[in-house]
Amino acid sequence: MNKTQTALHALPSDLINKLCRSKVTRLSLKQMYTLGRHVLESKNQGALVIPAVFLHQELPIRLSHALKMLNSNALPVNMADMPNFQHIARSYLEDISMVTQMPKPSTPKLEEEFTALLRNLEQRHKIKVLAISRGFRELMDNVQRQCSEKENAANPIFYHNGKGWTIDPKADRAIQTFFNRFYTINLGTRLLIGEHLALHDRGLNLVRRVNPLEISKTAIRDAQKVCASHYGQAAPSVLIHTPNPDISTTYVEEFLHRNIYELLKNAMRATCDTHLQDGSPVALGLSPASSGITSKSKLPPIKLVLVDGGEDVTIKISDEGGGMALSEMNKVWSYVHSSDSSSLRQSSSSKMMTAKVTTTTTPFQPSAPNTSTLHTANVSKMEMTAVQTRHVADSMTVMGGLASEAKDYLELPLSGSGHGLPLARLIARYFGGDLSLISMEGYGTDSYLSLYRDDDHLENFPEVDEEMAAEVDVFVSELLEEPGSVGESSSSYSDSSVAESNTKSQEIISAVAGR
């Protein structure tokens, strides 16, 4: 029996239930920034003990909330029956076991051991979220296959509208509810782990004062690069307008870069798809480029406006990519609809099928991960076709790169079957901001990304749902290969430590933030 299995079977039988009913300690950007600066300015490895002790108390609670989602009524229909599902849930249980079996990292030596565990947890997290997206695609594949094989097949997800199969609105909303909560939980957990690893391994904090203009410029170049590779010609220019180039705010640089990059990539794709015919631009009567990051493209430029408001820092990205009908706007936030197919999100295997599933395509749907092949400037049409038909992963699995310098989402192609826009909105809303779109069909779309200036705003972490916590013990027992081998109290977490963890965690953070 390996260490993971040993920790799993030493887990007290009632601990998960207690953790599921515990509230997380939601943090603000200010608290994360202040704690990070305290660690860095102390120039003492022992200062890392403070955030390590907090994570030791907090992570099991957050992980249990993700596990609770997998036992909730919000889980998309039949997803619990997918082959990946039991593995995912069991993996969360193993993570909780490993953290709770580890002694509290109250010394530099124990902090080193705990940090090694965090590196392992970060990699396991990527695998789990990849697995949940594969499980979802597997579910979609199976249902779509049934639709294609049986013209009159009835199912709870799709219905026939007289022209073809399309998603049932109620099922689509249920799927959105589940993934919004599940991904938000994992986003916050991943950020805390990434922040500690950045402090420990690289001597920097992820939450810091950032300059949105400089980040925008970097995102523009990155988006132009992938667009040029995809279409084999210069990407659209981006004109930048801002009354104050020195705007700064407390935020996570990678979160901001990822969201701007996602919006720009969608805008460039829409512009190219609308204005290119057989690889050549149509006559447009273009406005001259006055400032910003230009290219050799003759396509309509994209405009980026950055404004420093009293309450928000807002970035508007405008394009002339044809826009979309009002009736299609809600579909951009769906985890089912796709822009890279004629209808619904499909994996590479389902794209080879002839299922009669139809919805309207929109040019601003999310992009999906893939290989880095599209970053090579001299990608041939044959190579590009091969890349685009490979089995792709959900973009949440690589959106973070939070513990490394590499921004993995830059490895994604221009478009695909991922969850780019819905996830970008979750990121924007996590600390009180927002992401919205306004489209003019026949012309183009404006995207508005707002960053809330109040750095005391707490994480938008889903609240405890008692109904979801019900019967979690039964759920956990079913995940264990040998239910009878579960331990009684070998965990470093006692009943009292779980009950007091929220208070102690908040005291740790508040003490440092108040310095």
Side-chain angles (χ1 to χ4, degrees):
M1 184 178 291
N2 60 34
K3 291 183 179 179
T4 301
Q5 292 173 324
T6 301
L8 177 63
H9 292 292
L11 189 67
S13 58
D14 61 346
L15 179 59
I16 298 298
N17 196 299
K18 290 183 172 65
L19 290 171
C20 283
R21 286 177 164 81
S22 299
K23 290 188 176 182
V24 302
T25 301
R26 297 191 298 158
L27 303 180
S28 67
L29 286 168
K30 181 179 180 180
Q31 288 173 320
M32 292 185 189
Y33 174 77
T34 304
L35 180 58
R37 296 312 304 169
H38 167 71
V39 171
L40 296 179
E41 291 171 1
S42 68
K43 297 182 180 180
N44 181 353
Q45 197 75 3
L48 285 164
V49 167
I50 295 174
V53 169
F54 169 73
L55 279 178
H56 183 262
Q57 292 289 336
E58 182 69 12
L59 277 182
I61 297 174
R62 296 193 177 214
L63 292 170
S64 71
H65 283 219
L67 180 65
K68 183 171 58 180
M69 283 297 300
L70 300 179
N71 183 43
S72 72
N73 294 329
L75 197 70
V77 181
N78 296 332
M79 197 165 179
D81 297 330
M82 295 295 100
N84 278 318
F85 179 81
Q86 295 294 324
H87 172 74
I88 298 164
R90 183 181 176 84
S91 181
Y92 274 106
L93 192 60
E94 291 170 347
D95 290 350
I96 296 169
S97 301
M98 288 189 288
V99 176
T100 57
Q101 298 304 310
M102 178 161 284
K104 181 163 64 175
S106 54
T107 67
K109 183 176 184 301
L110 290 174
E111 185 275 327
E112 285 282 355
E113 296 175 2
F114 181 66
T115 301
L117 172 61
L118 292 181
R119 295 190 191 98
N120 182 26
L121 291 179
E122 186 190 47
Q123 294 305 312
R124 287 170 60 86
H125 177 275
K126 291 181 181 180
I127 295 172
K128 279 193 286 290
V129 182
L130 172 59
I132 200 76
S133 69
R134 284 179 174 171
F136 178 64
R137 285 198 306 274
E138 184 179 343
L139 172 62
M140 294 295 102
D141 288 349
N142 289 342
V143 175
Q144 290 179 40
R145 187 176 296 111
Q146 293 173 6
C147 292
S148 65
E149 293 173 352
K150 300 179 181 179
E151 288 290 333
N152 298 318
N155 65 78
I157 299 179
F158 301 120
Y159 72 95
H160 202 283
N161 61 6
K163 298 179 180 179
W165 292 94
T166 189
I167 186 73
D168 177 75
K170 184 177 180 180
D172 197 16
R173 286 193 297 271
I175 290 170
Q176 281 195 54
T177 298
F178 171 78
F179 278 108
N180 284 345
R181 290 178 65 93
F182 183 77
Y183 283 153
T184 299
I185 289 171
N186 284 279
L187 174 65
T189 303
R190 180 86 182 277
L191 175 60
L192 290 188
I193 294 176
E195 175 77 6
H196 186 82
L197 293 179
L199 288 169
H200 186 281
D201 297 343
R202 295 187 283 154
L204 60 85
N205 50 328
L206 299 178
V207 179
R208 55 182 180 268
R209 298 295 294 180
V210 300
N211 183 315
L213 178 59
E214 293 305 314
I215 295 174
S216 296
K217 290 179 179 179
T218 302
I220 290 169
R221 296 187 183 96
D222 291 334
Q224 286 179 329
K225 184 176 181 180
V226 71
C227 180
S229 296
H230 183 87
Y231 289 98
Q233 60 179 276
S237 298
V238 179
L239 309 182
I240 301 174
H241 304 278
T242 179
N244 179 12
D246 298 320
I247 297 172
S248 66
T249 188
T250 304
Y251 204 63
V252 182
E253 178 178 343
E254 189 160 338
F255 281 5
L256 182 55
H257 179 280
R258 184 212 183 276
N259 276 5
I260 297 173
Y261 171 77
E262 181 71 34
L263 296 175
L264 287 167
K265 192 170 58 164
N266 288 336
M268 290 178 185
R269 176 180 180 237
T271 300
C272 291
D273 286 351
T274 299
H275 295 279
L276 288 178
Q277 293 180 0
D278 299 323
S280 300
V282 298
L284 298 168
L286 306 176
S287 57
S290 58
S291 63
I293 299 178
T294 62
S295 71
K296 298 179 180 179
S297 175
K298 295 183 179 180
L299 296 171
I302 292 164
K303 301 177 183 65
L304 187 151
V305 181
L306 173 60
V307 178
D308 186 14
E311 185 173 294
D312 304 305
V313 173
T314 303
I315 299 170
K316 181 177 78 168
I317 296 174
S318 304
D319 67 69
E320 298 176 31
M324 69 190 84
L326 183 62
S327 62
E328 299 299 315
M329 285 298 293
N330 285 337
K331 293 179 181 179
V332 303
W333 311 116
S334 170
Y335 292 96
V336 179
H337 294 283
S338 174
S339 65
D340 202 39
S341 67
S342 62
S343 55
L344 306 174
R345 299 189 192 283
Q346 303 175 38
S347 68
S348 58
S349 59
S350 64
K351 287 181 181 180
M352 301 300 291
M353 297 167 52
T354 58
K356 297 180 180 179
V357 185
T358 59
T359 63
T360 303
T361 300
T362 62
F364 290 87
Q365 278 300 104
S367 303
N370 211 313
T371 67
S372 59
T373 310
L374 289 180
H375 269 261
T376 304
N378 299 319
V379 180
S380 67
K381 291 183 179 180
M382 182 177 297
E383 289 172 328
M384 193 170 296
T385 300
V387 168
Q388 291 174 335
T389 57
R390 290 175 190 167
H391 193 67
V392 295
D394 177 83
S395 59
M396 185 63 176
T397 64
V398 291
M399 61 123 302
L402 292 176
S404 66
E405 293 289 352
K407 294 180 174 66
D408 293 339
Y409 52 86
L410 297 181
E411 305 295 328
L412 318 187
L414 191 68
S415 62
S417 60
H419 295 172
L421 277 180
L423 293 170
R425 187 167 68 170
L426 293 183
I427 293 171
R429 290 178 171 179
Y430 197 68
F431 285 109
D434 206 354
L435 172 61
S436 60
L437 305 181
I438 298 177
S439 189
M440 181 184 292
E441 185 180 14
Y443 181 75
T445 298
D446 292 345
S447 306
Y448 294 85
L449 175 62
S450 300
L451 310 180
Y452 192 33
R453 273 200 169 282
D454 182 5
D455 57 9
D456 282 319
H457 190 279
L458 298 177
E459 299 170 89
N460 184 28
F461 200 94
E463 294 293 337
V464 173
D465 189 328
E466 288 296 331
E467 184 178 343
M468 288 184 181
E471 300 182 356
V472 71
D473 285 336
V474 176
F475 178 63
V476 169
S477 296
E478 292 174 351
L479 295 176
L480 299 173
E481 294 177 352
E482 302 173 23
S485 65
V486 178
E488 291 301 324
S489 59
S490 58
S491 170
S492 61
Y493 272 61
S494 64
D495 291 352
S496 59
S497 69
V498 172
E500 298 171 2
S501 62
N502 297 101
T503 301
K504 290 181 178 179
S505 297
Q506 192 61 57
E507 287 175 352
I508 292 172
I509 297 298
S510 297
V512 176
R515 290 174 183 269

